[in-house]
């Protein structure tokens, strides 16, 4: 993969939540709070997940699609309330559960980009997520 | 998003803060999915176990429950998914009083809102089966995929906050599987070998679910010529929904919207991806451990039907579970009551097994239960359960109910009978 070091702006579908800035944590894997996370420790806990063992706290998570069950709709708010939360969720495709949970938690969410977003953003890059405009900006 | 005058009034707070929250949730989600308006729903099913709710979710429910009665009551029949604590068994399982307290508080709040505590994920079998074309707000992936696919009703996955919003208003945003055009097939699978038991039906669902690219993909399954039982559909659908986040499938000649391929595909029929015995065996083998150590056998996810309870009672009648192994079977309160009356519970529990009522294993603090009891190696005939529990610190194994029972009796993993 070859990624430019200039400032890049990616456009997706506007979503809930407020503008946030932070460090990206990226994988081409899918996402479910109940299936993949240990909410007490604030880490990915599913052994088969590429981010297993890594902390999601304070990160802007960039993942492929929402998978799994319905619990995430409640869990995102509990994660925000507890402080052990990602700053934003950036997905190729959310499902209703992820959208409902982000709306309830007021957590920033953008999906439906015109590129595979997991392929163009790298872990560790500084990004700005603006749900109102549906843009993800990678600092140059 | 177009709102009726009544919806606008609720959004503005004219009917109190509960319905204002509900309309705000509906509008936020509706806008995200470009819904044109809302659709009335005839019943709601809410998932809100205390582990998922967390303390903040329970506080939120209690806040609504303290409102005046006319502001807090749900407006359409509303039922609940399994709870997180069975008060008859929680101490034995190593659950804490803090967990039980959250459960009591959440239940009291729901009751104050007029929610019926059915505590089941198989409401489509045991409470009110939906019908063709009926718009719903169902809050479990297994209940949603069954209602959409087998019964021809219309629902999206409605997570707790949105299911509650639908209950308080009687409406949900009109997007996704409420729209006819979204219900068309996108991918075709041809099943070469019919699964032989519920574990294999789940494995087949898991195989298809793994190939789903998003919530919007609708798999169509051909090659199954004979009808399928409700429990087989239940395991297949629950696994497909769990592995794939998939709310709808069609089976040609079997499910109501799929009399033939032309009826479900717009334009040319895509090439079929073939699935057979080898694929099912490979998926099941992928969970098989190197040694035969076993800690616990669980039958749940979905809760057992009355027929499954009868099968389990027949398998366990007169046998004794090895003291090194625990066996848990979860069902709904209504089916538990029937099983008690018919002597099935006595046969199951006479073996040393435990029947759990109104809960489901993965919704009852499975991680903490495992730690409290020293359980890691878990055997089940539910592909959905096996899929979920990897993230909870378990080493799950998928086998038939017969093999699971034989293993529980032997005290170690016994392979599938030849």
């Amino acid at each position: 993969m070859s990624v430019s070091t200039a400032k890049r702006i990616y456009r997706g579908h506007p979503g809930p939540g407020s503008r946030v800035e932070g460090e990206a944590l990226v994988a081409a894997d899918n996402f479910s709070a109940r299936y993949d996370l240990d909410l007490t420790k604030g880490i990915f806990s599913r052994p088969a997940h590429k981010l297993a063992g890594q902390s999601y706290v304070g990160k802007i998570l960039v993942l492929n699609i929402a998978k799994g069950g319905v619990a995430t709709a409640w869990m995102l708010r509990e994660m925000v309330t507890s402080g052990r939360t990602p700053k934003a969720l950036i997905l190729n495709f959310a499902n209703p559960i992820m959208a409902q949970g982000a709306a309830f938690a007021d957590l920033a969410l953008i999906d439906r980009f015109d590129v595979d977003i997991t392929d163009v953003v790298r872990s560790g890059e500084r990004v700005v997520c603006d749900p109102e405009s549906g843009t993800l900006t990678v600092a140059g | 998003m177009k709102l009726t005058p009544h919806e606008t009034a609720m959004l503005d707070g004219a009917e109190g803060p509960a319905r204002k929250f509900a309309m705000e949730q509906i509008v936020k989600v509706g806008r995200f999915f470009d819904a044109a308006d809302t659709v009335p729903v005839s019943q709601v099913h809410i998932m809100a176990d205390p582990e998922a709710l967390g303390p903040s979710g329970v506080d939120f429910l209690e806040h609504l429950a303290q409102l005046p009665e006319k502001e807090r009551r749900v407006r359409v029949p509303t039922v609940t998914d399994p709870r997180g604590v069975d008060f008859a068994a929680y101490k034995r399982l190593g659950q804490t009083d803090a967990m039980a307290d959250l459960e009591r508080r959440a239940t009291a709040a729901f009751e104050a809102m007029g929610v019926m505590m059915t505590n089941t994920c198989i409401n489509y079998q045991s409470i009110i089966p939906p019908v063709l074309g009926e718009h719903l707000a169902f809050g479990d992936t297994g209940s949603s995929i069954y209602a959409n696919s087998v019964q021809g009703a219309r629902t999206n996955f409605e997570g707790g906050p949105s299911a509650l919003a639908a209950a308080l208003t009687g409406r949900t945003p009109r997007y996704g599987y409420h729209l006819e055009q979204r219900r068309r097939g996108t991918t075709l699978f041809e099943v070469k070998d019919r699964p032989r038991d519920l574990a294999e039906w789940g494995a087949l669902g898991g195989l298809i679910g793994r190939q789903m690219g998003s919530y919007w993909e609708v798999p169509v399954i051909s090659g199954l010529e004979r009808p399928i039982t409700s429990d087989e559909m239940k395991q297949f659908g629950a696994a497909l929904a769990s592995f794939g986040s998939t709310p709808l499938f069609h089976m040609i000649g079997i499910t109501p919207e799929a009399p033939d391929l032309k009826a479900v595909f717009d334009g040319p029929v895509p090439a079929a991806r073939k699935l057979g015995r080898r694929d099912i065996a490979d998926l099941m083998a992928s969970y098989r451990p190197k040694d035969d150590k076993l800690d616990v056998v669980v039958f749940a996810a979905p809760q057992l039907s009355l027929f499954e309870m009868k099968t389990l009672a027949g398998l366990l009648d007169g046998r004794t579970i090895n003291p090194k192994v625990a066996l848990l079977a979860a069902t709904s309160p209504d089916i538990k009551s029937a099983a008690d009356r018919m002597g099935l519970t006595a046969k199951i529990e006479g073996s040393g097994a435990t029947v759990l009522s109104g809960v489901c294993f993965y919704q009852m603090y499975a991680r903490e239960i495992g730690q409290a009891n020293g359980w890691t190696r878990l055997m089940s005939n539910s592909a959905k359960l096996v899929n979920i529990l990897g993230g909870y610190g378990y080493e799950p194994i998928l086998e038939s109910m017969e093999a699971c029972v034989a293993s529980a009796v032997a005290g170690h993993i016994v392979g599938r009978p030849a």
Side-chain angles (χ1 to χ4, degrees):
Chain A
M1 182 176 64
S2 160
V3 178
S4 158
T5 53
K7 178 175 168 180
R8 288 121 54 204
I9 300 175
Y10 300 103
R11 295 188 189 286
H13 192 288
S18 304
R19 183 181 181 280
V20 287
E21 184 173 352
E23 181 187 325
L25 181 61
V26 186
D29 286 34
N30 304 319
F31 182 62
S32 158
R34 174 166 252 161
Y35 289 29
D36 295 330
L37 305 183
D38 182 329
L39 301 186
T40 310
K41 293 180 181 163
I43 59 170
F44 281 83
S45 58
R46 186 179 181 82
H49 203 286
K50 283 201 182 65
L51 301 178
Q54 295 198 52
S55 170
Y56 56 76
V57 177
K59 302 288 170 56
I60 293 186
L61 279 181
V62 181
L63 293 161
N64 183 27
I65 63 174
K67 281 244 177 180
V70 298
T72 303
W74 288 115
M75 284 177 166
L76 293 184
R77 184 185 174 107
E78 178 63 19
M79 288 158 67
V80 169
T81 307
S82 73
R84 290 183 297 277
T85 180
K87 282 186 176 172
L89 289 174
I90 306 296
L91 299 168
N92 278 322
F93 288 100
N95 67 0
I97 296 304
M98 214 56 67
Q100 294 158 7
F104 186 54
D106 201 26
L107 182 68
L109 168 68
I110 305 176
D111 80 338
R112 284 164 280 174
F113 292 88
D114 49 12
V115 293
D116 177 348
I117 197 68
T118 68
D119 200 35
V120 294
V121 182
R122 288 177 298 201
S123 283
E125 285 188 312
R126 297 291 301 177
V127 296
V128 177
C129 166
D130 183 6
E132 193 178 343
S133 64
T135 57
L136 184 74
T137 305
V138 183
Chain B
M1 189 175 170
K2 189 178 166 196
L3 301 181
T4 65
H6 184 205
E7 289 168 337
T8 304
M10 287 192 281
L11 183 63
D12 291 342
E15 297 185 12
R19 294 186 220 288
K20 179 177 170 61
F21 144 75
M23 281 309 305
E24 286 172 349
Q25 178 76 9
I26 286 169
V27 169
K28 282 188 223 172
V29 174
R31 283 186 181 149
F32 187 72
F33 290 115
D34 305 314
D37 59 0
T38 69
V39 59
V41 295
S42 54
Q43 55 165 312
V44 174
H45 177 240
I46 296 186
M47 196 296 285
D49 63 64
E51 181 185 3
L53 281 168
S56 70
V58 175
D59 288 348
F60 173 77
L61 292 179
E62 287 182 329
H63 170 71
L64 299 186
Q66 286 164 6
L67 295 169
E69 185 162 4
K70 70 173 186 178
E71 293 184 8
R72 70 177 190 241
R73 305 291 282 186
V74 297
R75 288 200 160 139
V76 288
T78 301
V79 300
T80 54
D81 204 39
R83 308 299 314 155
V85 173
D86 176 347
F87 290 104
Y90 82 96
K91 287 192 174 170
R92 260 185 295 153
L93 291 171
Q95 291 180 303
T96 65
D97 287 330
M99 295 171 186
D101 183 53
L102 275 184
E103 178 64 75
R104 278 193 198 91
R105 288 171 52 200
T107 297
F110 276 130
E111 286 174 343
M113 286 185 259
V115 173
M116 292 179 275
M117 304 305 292
T118 54
N119 305 349
T120 183
C121 56
I122 53 168
N123 55 318
Y124 50 84
Q125 284 182 324
S126 64
I127 305 293
I128 295 281
V131 298
L132 183 65
E134 185 178 9
H135 290 275
L136 314 166
F138 269 17
D140 167 72
T141 60
S143 67
S144 295
I145 196 170
Y146 194 101
N148 267 328
S149 312
V150 182
Q151 293 162 325
R154 276 103 174 92
T155 186
N156 288 306
F157 291 163
E158 298 276 10
S162 282
L164 188 57
L168 287 163
T169 60
R171 313 190 73 87
T172 195
R174 193 194 303 269
Y175 69 93
Y177 292 92
H178 293 286
L179 304 172
E180 292 301 317
Q181 65 268 29
R182 278 286 186 194
R183 301 177 67 86
R184 314 293 295 152
T186 61
T187 320
L188 180 61
F189 293 87
E190 185 182 343
V191 176
K192 307 295 291 180
D193 304 298
R194 191 181 178 91
R196 295 172 298 188
D197 55 41
L198 295 179
E200 290 195 355
W201 279 106
L204 180 65
L207 286 166
I208 295 171
R210 277 184 178 169
Q211 297 185 51
M212 293 295 99
S214 80
Y215 178 82
W216 311 108
E217 211 169 324
V218 179
V220 176
I221 296 99
S222 67
L224 294 162
E225 287 164 2
R226 283 179 289 115
I228 295 166
T229 69
S230 176
D231 284 334
E232 289 167 344
M233 282 289 198
K234 176 172 87 168
Q235 282 290 347
F236 172 80
L240 173 48
S242 172
F243 281 75
S245 191
T246 301
L248 171 66
F249 65 85
H250 298 298
M251 276 185 186
I252 300 302
I254 296 173
T255 57
E257 294 169 80
D260 52 42
L261 288 169
K262 272 192 195 165
V264 289
F265 285 110
D266 293 322
V269 174
R273 304 178 194 177
K274 293 182 169 51
L275 291 170
R277 171 93 35 234
R278 181 70 194 212
D279 302 294
I280 290 171
D282 285 350
L283 182 134
M284 294 179 73
S286 72
Y287 291 103
R288 213 160 282 145
K290 290 198 174 77
D291 62 70
D292 65 357
K293 179 179 172 291
L294 179 62
D295 298 316
V296 61
V297 170
V298 178
F299 298 116
Q303 290 174 332
L304 302 194
S305 70
L306 187 60
F307 290 3
E308 290 173 291
M309 290 291 282
K310 183 163 174 38
T311 301
L312 182 60
L315 289 169
L316 285 170
D317 190 16
R319 300 168 86 179
T320 303
I321 304 295
N322 188 293
K324 290 186 295 187
V325 175
L327 191 153
L328 308 174
T331 190
S332 75
D334 298 312
I335 288 174
K336 168 71 164 44
S337 172
D340 290 351
R341 185 160 46 84
M342 296 171 191
L344 302 177
T345 307
K347 283 183 182 167
I348 294 168
E349 296 199 325
S351 71
T354 299
V355 175
L356 299 170
S357 173
V359 291
C360 191
F361 188 75
Y362 75 94
Q363 293 177 286
M364 52 191 302
Y365 300 94
R367 185 191 313 280
E368 289 82 355
I369 288 178
Q371 289 164 352
N373 292 280
W375 294 339
T376 53
R377 198 59 75 64
L378 178 147
M379 206 170 175
S380 179
N381 72 336
S382 162
K384 171 176 178 170
L385 189 67
V386 164
N387 183 41
I388 295 172
L389 287 179
Y392 275 64
Y394 288 88
E395 297 169 23
I397 300 136
L398 178 62
E399 270 297 352
S400 68
M401 182 180 272
E402 287 79 0
C404 290
V405 168
S407 301
V409 170
H412 58 84
I413 297 167
V414 174
R416 172 180 292 268

